[in-house]
């Protein structure tokens, strides 16, 4: 059975604790609802380059949810 261990309102990340049936191991499960960030990316995209770019050589195209960054880090190094 999973129990909520921690929640960060700033990032929207929840951490759940789960004890294994063997009694020796535990699992930590991380969850983040990425939908609000993805919707914000769509909104900012519709505004265009002027919203993102202070410097004409740089253009921010999106924000990547932390859980996607974490997955990339753990799977691809």
């Amino acid at each position: 059975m999973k129990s909520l261990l921690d929640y960060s309102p700033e990032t929207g990340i929840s951490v759940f604790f789960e004890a294994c049936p063997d009694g020796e191991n535990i699992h930590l499960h991380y969850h983040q609802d990425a939908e609000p960030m993805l919707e914000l990316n769509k909104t900012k995209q519709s505004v265009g380059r002027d919203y993102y770019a202070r410097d004409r050589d740089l253009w921010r195209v999106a924000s990547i949810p932390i859980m996607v960054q974490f997955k990339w880090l753990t799977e691809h190094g």
Side-chain angles (χ1 to χ4, degrees), residues 55-70:
D55 181 347
R56 293 318 237 173
D57 293 332
L58 301 173
W59 184 6
R60 183 180 196 173
V61 295
S63 297
I64 300 171
I66 293 171
M67 293 311 301
V68 173
Q69 295 175 35
F70 184 71

Side-chain angles (χ1 to χ4, degrees), residues 4-16 31-33:
L4 181 64
L5 184 63
D6 189 30
Y7 174 74
S8 171
E10 294 84 27
T11 62
I13 295 177
S14 301
V15 181
F16 295 92
H31 178 266
Q32 179 185 31
D33 182 11

Side-chain angles (χ1 to χ4, degrees), residues 12-36:
I13 295 177
S14 301
V15 181
F16 295 92
F17 169 87
E18 180 180 25
C20 291
D22 65 12
E24 294 183 19
N25 296 300
I26 63 168
H27 292 274
L28 295 178
H29 302 270
Y30 295 85
H31 178 266
Q32 179 185 31
D33 182 11
E35 195 61 34

